[in-house]
Amino acid sequence: CLSAQFRRPGDYILGGLFPFGKDTVNLTARSEPTLVVCERLFSDGLIWALGMRFAIDEINNSTSLLPGVTLGYDMYDTCFEPLVALQSSLLFLTRNGTTGIGILCNSTDCQPRVTAVIGPHQSDLCLVTAKLFSSFLIPQVSYAASSEKLSSAELYPSFYRTVPSDKNLVEAVVLLLNRFGWNWIATIASDDEYGQGAQEIFLSIAGNNNICIAFEGLIPTDLSEPSAKKQLEDIVNLIIKTKVNIIVLFAFSLPAQALLEQSIRMGLSKKVWIGTKAWMLSDIPTSIPNIQSIGTVLGFVMKAGTVPGFQEYVADLFTSVQQEEFCRESRELNRLMNTDMLDTQCKECDHISLEDLSFMLSIFQVQPVHLAVYSVAYALHRALGCTPKACPKAPIRSWQLLHFMDTLPFEVNGQSFRFDQSHSTNTGYELIFWSWKNGTLRYLSVGEYEQSLNINESQIQFHTPDQKEPTSECFKHCKPGQVRRIKGFHLCCYDCTDCPENTFWSSKDSSSCTPCLQHQWAPAQSTQCYERSERFLFWDEPLTIALLALMSITILLTCLTALLFLRNLQTPLVQAAGGERALFALLCLVLLSLSCCLYVGKPSDTLCMMQGMVYALCLNGCFSTFLIKTLEITLVTEFPRCAPSLLCWVTHRRSWLLIALCLLTQGLLCLCHLHLGPAYLRSDYKSLPTEVLLVCNTKSWVAFALLHSYNSCLALVCFLGTFMVQTLGKKYNLARGITFAILIYFVIWIFFMAIFATLRTVLVAVTQVATILIISLGILGTYYLPKCYIILFKPEMNTVDCCQNSIQEEPEEDSA
């Protein structure tokens, strides 16, 4: 008797398409166009159909909506098959009172059997039927189809739905994943319009929200095929292989059931399953044995209000179908509906009891069906021009209802609704959590989504070994100062790497580090750059103080030596050492030591230019006196016959001409040095990590060599002229001091050049100062201090016989 409750006559008939059954016969085995039937009852479809019947009975009993007019209904099974839904749809298109489709008549005047159609529930079914009904502009209102494709009012002008589109659902899912920091997930969908459409939208939105898709899976449509089991096994193996803990499942209840059963059979560890309204509230997945072992189930269902009186209505109906009189009247009403045309109503409904539906009735969302019926009723009420007391029973064409459905709101149970531009209603979503207590499942509301997502996380008890929130990350969110380094073949999988030194992380672009400007620096993992401080040899540095102390000692020793020489200027030893020329050489050594101050403090182009020239001129003044003494010794020892005539040029006052000539030559070389390329101040940003090194840089090595080569040549002449000279008897060897002084000069310069050419720090200035002081001390210690020792402690050696080689002695030595 229950199966006879889905057809009733009325002034205006509403068609209904509901999934009463599931598990159709193999369509490929059909050799004749026989009627397709389903083998098992689908309780969700039955409740939807009862919701439509309840709404129509409410409207027929209403005194304000369509007063004096009755609505009839004619509901058919879709069996989850487009072919079956199309058969019923063609029946709805037959001309009223006939069995033929009015294809050849004027479509404006033709009136089909039904005024409007409620359903079907699946998007792929709606894509088939909506094209058919839109060609005749017959209003079709779906209560569950959510594909974004159906949002096109241009392609489907007469299609409406009382649920949001999948785009709204996917946005809610993405916000949920971001809220818990889950960015390494798998997405699995049923191989149908709903699953593939939702997955496609999800992939595009997830990619823009730093969510990495480990893999995409599809559950086959026909689960009876032998290959279907292998496909399900492959999906579960991929879940295991990729080590994802979060799985987003876009599927209807039957494909979801197949995947969950396969996961349990293969012993998949507990995961977090993000579900949708298509399977979250169905009794099919929840009836799977050991379903609790799959882990945590969270999902979004449409936020729908309750329908007052519906459960009592269903209970009364199940009581009535037990009464023979009620059943007889139902059959008589069915005979008025041309029952010989098609017989695809709910055949299995007669074998179900109220107890079988009690659980689903308590949680099932009937409001979308309820709203769908009321939206058509209000449009019809306005199209007929009804008054509060009565409606004229005038003929109304289906297409005339569209204007009122598009523009005007309708009210149900004190709440106002209307269709938006895409012919949808967006009532928001509830976040549902599967809560198990003593083996009993409860659907616990833990959040909601409208414009934003609100979650009560304290109510969510994750079914993990430690009862803690699971992690599922291909990457961790990088900290400030870190950038992404892609790894593997997943572009959204990356490691976080610190920005290297002298680069910083910009919040505008977290995928690369921005180099600091040349005058700036930054430590590793920095978010900003800092100004570099200037680095040079400061006056107050300990190393500088030590060098200045050594310089003071050197100057002091040199001055004391000069003072001692001045007091003993007429003694044979001082005269043999050069006399006034020795004092001049000591003065040059003092100036050379003082030139160390040019290397301390902030350098400039002028100071850099002066450093080399002052050094060269002062050293040249000292070496020129050595050259004169060397020439004198060489003439006496190597050319004794020419010595009397030439010694006047290297002794007495004429020797100052040679010193002046040497200084003049060095001065000219200094001018050449300035012309070719003097040293200049350079800001070195690479040698020091946080400072800019101010250093004097050699512009031309040719100019550098030209500046210092002359002194080297003088030193070489002095060395060659003195290193083989030996004394006669107990005479003092003046040549030995020059030899050692020059030898120290060459050794120091070899080390200096090796260090100077390689150092790029403030130690360059230290090296230059140290070189000057060591050369000064070397000359002072090897040439002058031994003479001071003789003057002070060995006065008996400070005689003419000990200190000078007589030109008369050399021939006697030769004749001997």
Side-chain angles (χ1 to χ4, degrees):
C1 184
L2 185 61
S3 62
Q5 305 307 311
F6 303 109
R7 308 184 78 182
R8 284 292 183 274
D11 298 324
Y12 302 94
I13 305 298
L14 301 185
L17 296 173
F18 298 96
F20 290 118
K22 57 184 178 180
D23 298 339
T24 60
V25 296
N26 190 358
L27 297 180
T28 59
R30 290 199 318 157
S31 58
E32 297 178 0
T34 56
L35 194 65
V36 179
V37 295
C38 298
E39 298 178 352
R40 287 194 298 162
L41 177 70
F42 184 56
S43 57
D44 297 25
L46 173 58
I47 296 176
W48 276 324
L50 292 176
M52 178 177 174
R53 189 181 189 276
F54 171 70
I56 292 177
D57 284 351
E58 268 191 335
I59 295 168
N60 288 337
N61 294 327
S62 172
T63 57
S64 59
L65 183 60
L66 294 175
V69 173
T70 59
L71 294 179
Y73 47 89
D74 199 4
M75 306 180 198
Y76 288 92
D77 189 7
T78 62
C79 284
F80 291 87
E81 285 292 344
L83 175 62
V84 180
L86 191 59
Q87 289 176 338
S88 305
S89 300
L90 291 173
L91 175 61
F92 294 154
L93 292 176
T94 59
R95 298 179 64 182
N96 196 14
T98 69
T99 58
I101 299 177
I103 298 177
L104 301 179
C105 73
N106 188 336
S107 299
T108 306
D109 298 328
C110 285
Q111 177 58 46
R113 288 185 69 245
V114 297
T115 304
V117 178
I118 306 300
H121 76 297
Q122 277 188 308
S123 296
D124 52 350
L125 301 183
C126 287
L127 287 171
V128 175
T129 59
K131 291 179 180 178
L132 184 63
F133 293 130
S134 292
S135 63
F136 293 93
L137 292 181
I138 297 176
Q140 176 187 2
V141 188
S142 175
Y143 47 86
S146 56
S147 173
E148 182 65 18
K149 292 182 180 179
L150 293 167
S151 296
S152 175
E154 294 182 0
L155 295 177
Y156 310 102
S158 67
F159 178 81
Y160 299 82
R161 55 185 167 195
T162 53
V163 293
S165 73
D166 288 334
K167 185 177 181 181
N168 300 100
L169 174 66
V170 167
E171 288 173 350
V173 172
V174 170
L175 286 176
L176 176 66
L177 295 173
N178 284 336
R179 177 67 170 271
F180 287 103
W182 295 329
N183 51 43
W184 179 238
I185 61 116
T187 172
I188 303 171
S190 50
D191 193 6
D192 51 39
E193 179 56 39
Y194 165 71
Q196 291 185 5
Q199 188 181 68
E200 182 180 350
I201 298 172
F202 175 74
L203 292 175
S204 63
I205 296 179
N208 296 328
N209 285 270
N210 294 328
I211 296 175
C212 186
I213 308 300
F215 73 92
E216 310 158 28
L218 286 178
I219 305 173
T221 305
D222 191 355
L223 297 170
S224 61
E225 291 185 0
S227 61
K229 183 178 180 181
K230 178 65 168 56
Q231 287 180 262
L232 292 172
E233 290 179 355
D234 291 342
I235 291 174
V236 178
N237 285 328
L238 276 173
I239 295 174
I240 298 172
K241 180 180 178 181
T242 54
K243 299 179 181 180
V244 292
N245 292 324
I246 313 299
I247 302 163
V248 179
L249 179 56
F250 298 106
F252 287 107
S253 54
L254 292 177
Q257 177 190 19
L259 177 63
L260 295 175
E261 286 179 341
Q262 186 64 37
S263 301
I264 295 172
R265 280 195 296 267
M266 296 179 65
L268 184 67
S269 60
K270 290 183 177 182
K271 305 292 182 182
V272 175
W273 299 80
I274 308 296
T276 62
K277 58 184 175 58
W279 65 273
M280 277 286 297
L281 301 181
S282 175
D283 62 337
I284 293 178
T286 58
S287 63
I288 300 173
N290 199 25
I291 186 63
Q292 297 184 47
S293 66
I294 64 170
T296 306
V297 178
L298 284 167
F300 290 96
V301 299
M302 193 185 74
K303 187 188 293 184
T306 59
V307 179
F310 176 66
Q311 294 191 42
E312 293 79 4
Y313 173 83
V314 175
D316 292 342
L317 180 61
F318 270 87
T319 302
S320 299
V321 297
Q322 306 299 324
Q323 302 171 7
E324 184 59 34
E325 180 64 21
F326 179 82
C327 293
R328 184 183 59 79
E329 292 177 359
S330 297
R331 295 187 186 98
E332 288 178 359
L333 290 173
N334 273 359
R335 279 194 288 271
L336 299 176
M337 296 290 294
N338 296 326
T339 55
D340 58 332
M341 291 179 59
L342 194 62
D343 192 15
T344 58
Q345 279 80 24
C346 184
K347 291 294 185 181
E348 298 296 323
C349 291
D350 295 331
H351 307 295
I352 194 171
S353 65
L354 181 61
E355 288 74 17
D356 297 329
L357 295 178
S358 59
F359 175 71
M360 291 301 296
L361 283 172
S362 64
I363 55 94
F364 202 75
Q365 292 182 340
V366 187
Q367 190 188 43
V369 178
H370 199 247
L371 295 179
V373 176
Y374 268 86
S375 66
V376 175
Y378 270 95
L380 181 60
H381 181 93
R382 290 155 179 161
L384 289 172
C386 296
T387 66
K389 294 183 178 180
C391 286
K393 295 183 180 180
I396 287 292
R397 303 292 181 258
S398 299
W399 56 269
Q400 292 176 316
L401 303 182
L402 298 180
H403 168 73
F404 301 99
M405 297 183 71
D406 286 341
T407 58
L408 298 175
F410 56 95
E411 187 174 305
V412 182
N413 294 327
Q415 189 175 358
S416 181
F417 300 90
R418 73 181 307 149
F419 294 109
D420 58 22
Q421 292 183 347
S422 61
H423 292 177
S424 304
T425 59
N426 187 5
T427 56
Y429 292 93
E430 273 190 292
L431 179 61
I432 299 298
F433 169 65
W434 278 14
S435 177
W436 295 93
K437 189 173 183 180
N438 299 326
T440 303
L441 174 62
R442 289 190 308 142
Y443 296 98
L444 190 62
S445 177
V446 295
E448 62 179 8
Y449 169 76
E450 287 186 7
Q451 299 299 325
S452 60
L453 180 64
N454 298 311
I455 304 177
N456 186 356
E457 297 183 26
S458 61
Q459 290 186 291
I460 303 176
Q461 300 294 325
F462 289 98
H463 302 305
T464 54
D466 54 3
Q467 300 297 311
K468 293 182 179 180
E469 175 190 328
T471 59
S472 187
E473 294 181 321
C474 177
F475 61 88
K476 294 183 178 180
H477 291 286
C478 293
K479 299 177 182 178
Q482 294 181 324
V483 292
R484 305 171 182 174
R485 291 289 179 265
I486 304 299
K487 64 177 182 179
F489 57 90
H490 291 290
L491 295 181
C492 54
C493 290
Y494 52 79
D495 291 322
C496 292
T497 304
D498 293 346
C499 281
E501 292 182 352
N502 297 326
T503 63
F504 71 101
W505 173 82
S506 172
S507 58
K508 296 179 181 179
D509 180 16
S510 61
S511 62
S512 63
C513 296
T514 304
C516 294
L517 298 177
Q518 190 179 41
H519 63 276
Q520 296 176 326
W521 75 279
Q525 197 181 343
S526 178
T527 58
Q528 63 177 326
C529 291
Y530 304 93
E531 294 295 323
R532 288 177 178 267
S533 59
E534 293 181 338
R535 184 69 173 100
F536 45 85
L537 195 59
F538 294 97
W539 288 97
D540 56 352
E541 286 187 62
L543 187 58
T544 305
I545 295 173
L547 290 174
L548 292 177
L550 182 61
M551 179 191 74
S552 301
I553 294 173
T554 305
I555 294 174
L556 179 61
L557 289 176
T558 307
C559 290
L560 290 175
T561 301
L563 184 60
L564 183 62
F565 271 43
L566 182 61
R567 292 184 62 183
N568 298 274
L569 183 61
Q570 300 304 322
T571 62
L573 182 60
V574 175
Q575 288 297 316
E580 292 85 356
R581 297 189 302 274
L583 293 177
F584 175 76
L586 290 171
L587 175 62
C588 290
L589 287 181
V590 170
L591 295 176
L592 181 63
S593 299
L594 283 174
S595 71
C596 293
C597 296
L598 298 175
Y599 299 89
V600 183
K602 186 176 180 178
S604 63
D605 287 332
T606 302
L607 287 176
C608 291
M609 179 180 61
M610 290 176 59
Q611 288 171 359
M613 292 192 298
V614 170
Y615 169 81
L617 287 171
C618 291
L619 193 62
N620 184 266
C622 182
F623 281 179
S624 62
T625 62
F626 287 172
L627 176 65
I628 291 173
K629 195 62 185 178
T630 301
L631 292 176
E632 180 185 351
I633 294 172
T634 303
L635 287 173
V636 172
T637 57
E638 301 296 331
F639 306 99
R641 302 186 189 279
C642 302
S645 60
L646 296 176
L647 279 176
C648 61
W649 291 99
V650 293
T651 59
H652 310 298
R653 298 189 180 277
R654 291 185 181 183
S655 61
W656 290 101
L657 295 175
L658 187 58
I659 293 174
L661 180 63
C662 290
L663 287 173
L664 179 61
T665 304
Q666 185 64 58
L668 293 175
L669 292 175
C670 287
L671 293 176
C672 293
H673 170 75
L674 291 177
H675 178 71
L676 291 177
Y680 65 96
L681 177 63
R682 183 172 68 91
S683 299
D684 184 359
Y685 297 96
K686 296 181 180 180
S687 298
L688 301 177
T690 63
E691 299 167 309
V692 51
L693 179 63
L694 301 181
V695 62
C696 292
N697 192 56
T698 302
K699 184 175 183 179
S700 170
W701 285 100
V702 174
F704 179 85
L706 192 65
L707 181 66
H708 296 285
S709 59
Y710 182 58
N711 283 332
S712 299
C713 291
L714 291 182
L716 181 61
V717 170
C718 293
F719 180 78
L720 294 176
T722 58
F723 85 104
M724 292 294 289
V725 175
Q726 296 184 4
T727 60
L728 301 174
K730 294 182 179 181
K731 296 184 181 294
Y732 179 72
N733 192 341
L734 294 172
R736 191 68 65 227
I738 297 175
T739 302
F740 281 113
I742 299 303
L743 187 61
I744 287 177
Y745 166 77
F746 279 123
V747 171
I748 296 303
W749 253 86
I750 290 173
F751 280 102
F752 167 74
M753 287 303 298
I755 297 173
F756 181 76
T758 56
L759 274 183
R760 291 292 183 269
T761 65
V762 74
L763 293 178
V764 171
V766 174
T767 303
Q768 291 174 305
V769 172
T771 301
I772 292 173
L773 294 178
I774 294 174
I775 290 176
S776 298
L777 286 173
I779 294 174
L780 190 66
T782 57
Y783 187 76
Y784 292 101
L785 291 184
K787 296 173 178 57
C788 293
Y789 175 79
I790 293 174
I791 293 173
L792 294 174
F793 302 106
K794 298 285 186 180
E796 67 276 7
M797 294 182 63
N798 191 359
T799 62
V800 174
D801 293 335
C802 291
C803 298
Q804 291 183 346
N805 290 319
S806 174
I807 59 172
Q808 288 87 7
E809 291 180 346
E810 292 299 330
E812 292 177 3
E813 183 71 22
D814 291 342
S815 63

